[in-house]
């Protein structure tokens, strides 16, 4: 069972990525790298584009001093911080995003675009709830239903979806899942307002903040046949030498 949280990828203190996302310039770097998708971006182009964002001008109009300032800040502060908390990594001569779970949800977009709608105080609770793969699967199961579900059928649905063999699901496996749901996953999701869990009636349904846990790729695919890459503005940045 995946229990990855924000600090686990690199051994940094829990909440390290939250601190990075609270830094406007680190958010800008993260957004620029993310927009390049799996292709990544060279450190030179990143410095030019960051300078363009900072100075509100096209990348080709960035001056050499402006580029140099961003190059130094990227090299000494911004990139090391984002790499340390597991959000970015080096790939060849460029920088790419990692497989961190935050990139799979609309929480990421809300953070980098400053659209938290009063969630600042509950942000860590929300993201911790989404960092676990089992909890994300619970939300998927709930999304596929038009009515509440009980703990027992939810446990059976999770077991069926995660069963990698053709063997029958054991009672012991189901009991472990039921215990984890009742004592760990459902309380965490309920605290984040991602689900509503009525213990008395044994009913689980989606919560008020479910939209923040929506899968980005699914949402963007609904609005565009080409998916994520078509929603980001096309950027054409020529190859630049180290000036």
């Amino acid at each position: 069972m995946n229990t990855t949280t924000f600090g686990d990828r690199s051994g940094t203190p829990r909440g390290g990525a939250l601190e990075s996302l609270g830094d406007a310039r680190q958010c800008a770097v993260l957004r620029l790298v993310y927009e390049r998708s799996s292709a990544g971006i060279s450190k030179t182009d990143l410095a030019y584009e960051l300078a363009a964002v900072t100075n509100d001008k096209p990348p080709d109009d960035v001056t050499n001093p402006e580029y140099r300032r961003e190059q130094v800040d990227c090299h000494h502060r911004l990139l090391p911080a984002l790499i340390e908390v597991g959000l970015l990594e080096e790939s060849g001569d460029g920088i790419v995003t990692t497989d961190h779970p935050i990139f799979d949800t609309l929480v990421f977009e809300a953070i980098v675009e400053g659209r938290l709608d009063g969630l600042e105080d509950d942000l860590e609770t929300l993201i911790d709830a989404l960092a676990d793969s089992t909890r994300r699967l619970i939300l998927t199961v709930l999304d596929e239903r038009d009515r509440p579900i009980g703990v027992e059928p939810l446990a059976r649905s999770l077991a069926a979806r995660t069963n990698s063999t053709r063997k029958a699901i054991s009672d012991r496996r189901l009991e472990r899942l039921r215990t984890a749901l009742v004592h760990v996953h459902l309380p965490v999701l309920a605290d984040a307002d991602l689900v509503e869990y009525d213990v008395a009636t044994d009913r689980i349904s989606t919560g008020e903040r479910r939209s923040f846990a929506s899968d980005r790729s699914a949402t963007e695919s609904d609005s565009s046949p080409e998916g994520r890459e078509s929603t980001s503005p096309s950027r054409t940045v020529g190859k630049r030498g180290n000036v």
Side-chain angles (χ1 to χ4, degrees):
M1 187 180 299
N2 182 359
T3 56
T4 302
T5 53
F6 262 47
D8 291 340
R9 288 183 59 91
S10 59
T12 57
R14 186 167 158 272
L18 289 173
E19 295 177 3
S20 292
L21 292 170
D23 184 304
R25 286 178 57 73
Q26 289 184 42
C27 274
V29 170
L30 199 58
R31 183 74 182 198
L32 290 170
V33 177
Y34 184 82
E35 286 178 350
R36 292 301 187 91
S37 188
S38 58
I41 184 172
S42 71
K43 294 179 181 179
T44 298
D45 280 354
L46 177 59
Y48 269 108
E49 293 210 26
L50 184 59
V53 170
T54 301
N55 295 280
D56 193 23
K57 60 173 62 175
D60 289 336
D61 291 345
V62 169
T63 65
N64 190 55
E66 291 169 343
Y67 161 74
R68 288 295 188 188
R69 282 195 295 272
E70 302 305 338
Q71 182 189 44
V72 169
D73 202 19
C74 280
H75 180 76
H76 291 288
R77 186 178 74 88
L78 300 175
L79 289 178
L82 290 166
I83 290 171
E84 183 181 13
V85 296
L87 293 172
L88 298 181
E89 62 187 5
E90 296 189 62
S91 178
D93 295 329
I95 301 295
V96 297
T97 55
T98 66
D99 60 353
H100 198 286
I102 194 173
F103 295 118
D104 295 332
T105 73
L106 291 177
V107 172
F108 166 71
E109 186 171 317
I111 292 171
V112 297
E113 294 186 357
R115 299 184 291 101
L116 294 177
D117 300 325
L119 286 176
E120 290 87 348
D121 293 340
D122 299 323
L123 188 57
E124 183 170 355
T125 299
L126 182 63
I127 296 177
D128 278 352
L130 296 173
D132 184 271
S133 60
T134 297
R135 292 195 281 273
R136 295 196 300 273
L137 184 55
I138 290 170
L139 295 176
T140 298
V141 172
L142 293 176
D143 283 346
E144 294 173 356
R145 298 176 58 87
D146 58 1
R147 60 187 183 278
I149 189 174
V151 171
E152 178 67 24
L154 177 57
R156 290 187 178 277
S157 180
L158 294 176
R161 291 168 185 250
T162 57
N163 186 15
S164 59
T165 70
R166 294 186 177 181
K167 295 180 180 179
I169 300 167
S170 68
D171 291 340
R172 184 177 179 183
R173 166 72 172 150
L174 286 173
E175 180 58 31
R176 286 201 301 266
L177 273 172
R178 285 193 295 266
T179 301
L181 284 171
V182 171
H183 295 288
V184 181
H185 299 305
L186 293 176
V188 169
L189 289 169
D191 284 346
D193 287 334
L194 293 170
V195 306
E196 293 183 4
Y197 177 34
D198 190 324
V199 178
T201 61
D202 185 33
R203 286 295 179 266
I204 306 146
S205 57
T206 55
E208 293 181 0
R209 290 177 175 167
R210 175 64 183 100
S211 61
F212 277 91
S214 297
D215 185 272
R216 282 177 53 89
S217 60
T219 302
E220 292 166 350
S221 294
D222 287 342
S223 60
S224 171
E226 290 77 23
R228 185 179 81 185
E229 292 186 1
S230 66
T231 64
S232 298
S234 176
R235 293 177 178 268
T236 303
V237 181
K239 293 182 66 177
R240 310 177 192 274
N242 290 325
V243 295

